[in-house]
Structure formats: C-alpha cells, structure tokens
Amino acid sequence: MTSSIFTEQYGRFRELLVQYRQARSITQAQLAEALNRPQSFVSKYENGERRLDLVEFLEISAALQFDPCELIRSIRSETLAEPTIMDEWKVTADEWTILVQENPSLRGMLFGYVAELKLREIISAFPGVRSLKKFDDHDRKKKGDLHIIYHQRVFSVESKSLQTRQIKFDVENQVWFGKAQVDASDSRIVILPSGKTLRTTLLLRGEFDILAVNCYEFSKQWQFQFARNRDLPCSSYKKYTPEEQCALISSLISVTWPPQPPFHSDLKSLLDEMLDAGEGSDPSEIGLE
C-alpha cells in the first residue's frame, strides 16, 4: 500500500501549507521559531521529506493563523470534484500538450488564465480577504481581472504577463529583466478625465487599483509582483496628445526580479498600505456587498 505521504492529496496538502505561509510573508525560519522547532522541520515537511501528524498540523495552523478545517475542506472538495474537462472531452495530457505547443495563441491565452488562477489561490490565503470576484471578461464596465474585498474595502487587480522574448538575466548581479505587456485585449472607447472620448487599446490611469505581473517566465515559479495603478508609467506613444498620454498607461512596462519600485513582491503589505491611505472602494459601489 502506498504511504500517504506520496499520495496526490498529501501533495496538495503540502502545497497549501506553503501557500498559507508565503501569503503571510513568513519565512521558514520564522515559522520554525514560532513552533519552537529547527528550520529543517519546516523545510522537510514542505518538501515532502517528512510526514506531519495531526498535532503538528494543528500547531502549524495556529502559528499561521488559519482555520485547519478550511484547508481540509479545500482538499476534500478537490478530491470529490466532478470529472475534469479533459475527462469529458477524452483528451490525454499528452494530447493537450501537443495542442498547446502547436498553437502559440492558444498557449498565450491559457497561460494568462492559469496565471489568474494561481493569483487567486495566493490571494485567497490572505487573512482579511473576505471575497474574491472575477467578473465576465466581456463586461467592459468592470475593469480588473479580480476584485478583492480586503478588510471591508474593494480593490481591483489587473493581471498581466511578461513578454517572453524580452527576458534577460544579469548573472553578475543575479537580477532578471523583462517587459510586461500592459494593455487591453482589444480596442475600446475610454473617457479621459477631461470628458473627452478616445478609442485605444491602452489602459487608463485609475481604471483599476493594482497591477499584478506574473513573473513565471523568470524562474519557472508562480510568483507575482504588484504596483499601484497611479505609480505606473504614462504612455509615451507619439500619436497621442500630452493630455492623452498622461491619462493612459504605457503598454510596455519594465520589470525586474527581485522587484524594484514601483513594484512590490508582497501584495498584503501593499494592500495594508493602501488601506491606511484610505484607498479602495465600498463593496456596495460595484455590487459586492
């Protein structure tokens, strides 16, 4: 009989424990100290080298301040989930891989949605997050891929990815460099602060609260960096007037890893900073009561 430590469910259990710790910006060493254990204890159970017992799990949940029943329910719901779309369509993982590899546009589209899903998983583990909402992609009145209710305020998050052909790594300084593609998927009419209308693919300053850039292509890990909308660079596209440039966000934004201003790697700290500044919206304003 296969040991439970090698099962898919236990693997998911470990993944969630890592997510819960990282969402709280707690290092392995800090958690180990809170548990009065060596860092190797945390490292080994997160890497699957050691199996946790029930008492240890409860101690970890108390140290990280999450409901252990919530984590168990999450794993159970996944275990009892309905057949996947791959089951329904009778498509194997190998066939799906071929489809993605042979169709770059399909890969790009799916990659963006996977990034959104990973971002939602990270955010949902934050203490203080009451709700996550994704509106219809075609609803142009509600810009932002995700809407978060965080401590009774709503923040809209726009998720974007790196351009894979512009990624570079500085070996000497151990820094990644890239460009994030930050624009709308199609042309639309926007209203500028002056009341003037403009057809453009660019996003507006103030149109959403936070930009989340998926940095998977840097190191093949699901990590994100975040910036306030107001701190993003304006467009410099010469076809626009100075007034229009100031109202529009640049379609290509430089990013690095580790992040440099205006970007942050810790979304929770950024949200707390924005809360302190009185930013965010009332949930009733966008139907998220």
Side-chain angles (χ1 to χ4, degrees):
M1 182 176 179
T2 303
S3 172
S4 63
I5 198 170
F6 299 115
T7 64
E8 181 179 346
Q9 290 88 347
Y10 194 86
R12 182 58 178 152
F13 172 68
R14 291 191 296 105
E15 287 178 2
L16 288 172
L17 287 178
V18 174
Q19 286 180 17
Y20 279 38
R21 175 179 62 76
Q22 292 178 339
R24 288 152 177 78
S25 300
I26 295 175
T27 65
Q28 288 186 347
Q30 290 170 331
L31 176 56
E33 183 178 356
L35 295 170
N36 197 26
R37 302 264 192 162
Q39 182 178 345
S40 59
F41 169 76
V42 179
S43 175
K44 285 182 178 180
Y45 81 67
E46 287 191 352
N47 291 326
E49 299 174 34
R50 184 189 188 285
R51 186 182 184 280
L52 289 175
D53 63 30
L54 178 60
V55 174
E56 291 168 337
F57 169 55
L58 293 176
E59 289 175 348
I60 292 166
S61 67
L64 293 178
Q65 298 183 338
F66 69 83
D67 181 357
C69 296
E70 177 187 339
L71 185 146
I72 293 171
R73 281 194 296 269
S74 176
I75 296 174
R76 180 170 173 77
S77 66
E78 292 177 9
T79 303
L80 301 177
E82 295 292 324
T84 67
I85 194 70
M86 291 176 64
D87 296 327
E88 182 180 334
W89 289 354
K90 297 180 174 56
V91 178
T92 67
D94 287 342
E95 290 172 331
W96 190 249
T97 300
I98 291 171
L99 281 174
V100 172
Q101 289 176 338
E102 291 183 348
N103 297 276
S105 59
L106 174 63
R107 182 191 185 281
M109 181 183 68
L110 288 174
F111 185 78
Y113 284 120
V114 171
E116 281 185 32
L117 182 63
K118 295 296 183 180
L119 180 60
R120 285 160 59 186
E121 289 178 355
I122 292 170
I123 296 174
S124 63
F126 288 172
V129 171
R130 196 185 87 201
S131 176
L132 271 173
K133 174 73 173 178
K134 176 178 170 61
F135 289 110
D136 188 333
D137 287 341
H138 300 290
D139 187 348
R140 298 185 180 183
K141 295 180 180 179
K142 294 184 172 70
K143 198 59 191 167
D145 295 310
L146 295 173
H147 285 73
I148 311 166
I149 298 183
Y150 182 69
H151 292 299
Q152 311 307 315
R153 298 294 289 174
V154 178
F155 297 91
S156 57
V157 181
E158 185 77 7
S159 177
K160 296 297 179 183
S161 298
L162 297 171
Q163 284 197 336
T164 56
R165 294 183 180 179
Q166 298 206 35
I167 292 173
K168 297 180 181 179
F169 182 62
D170 182 339
V171 177
E172 181 179 352
N173 296 302
Q174 295 293 293
V175 176
W176 288 94
F177 293 89
K179 298 276 189 180
Q181 183 77 42
V182 184
D183 53 14
S185 56
D186 52 14
S187 177
R188 69 229 163 89
I189 295 176
V190 299
I191 302 176
L192 304 182
S194 64
K196 177 183 176 181
T197 60
L198 177 70
R199 177 170 289 279
T200 181
T201 59
L202 300 188
L203 300 178
L204 280 171
R205 297 181 71 82
E207 189 173 13
F208 55 91
D209 297 308
I210 298 170
L211 173 67
V213 178
N214 148 39
C215 296
Y216 177 85
E217 296 294 354
F218 279 156
S219 58
K220 305 305 179 185
Q221 296 183 38
W222 286 108
Q223 52 192 10
F224 294 80
Q225 53 183 283
F226 309 90
R228 276 181 167 103
N229 176 299
R230 72 182 190 191
D231 294 333
L232 298 173
C234 295
S235 171
S236 58
Y237 195 17
K238 293 182 179 179
K239 84 168 189 176
Y240 296 122
T241 67
E243 175 201 359
E244 293 167 345
Q245 289 176 342
C246 288
L248 298 169
I249 296 172
S250 176
S251 61
L252 278 179
I253 297 179
S254 297
V255 294
T256 64
W257 195 274
Q260 297 176 4
F263 287 96
H264 307 249
S265 60
D266 184 355
L267 176 58
K268 184 178 182 301
S269 295
L270 178 59
L271 285 170
D272 288 337
E273 184 181 313
M274 295 174 74
L275 272 179
D276 291 341
E279 299 176 43
S281 307
D282 187 285
S284 62
E285 294 178 8
I286 57 173
L288 286 178
E289 294 179 292

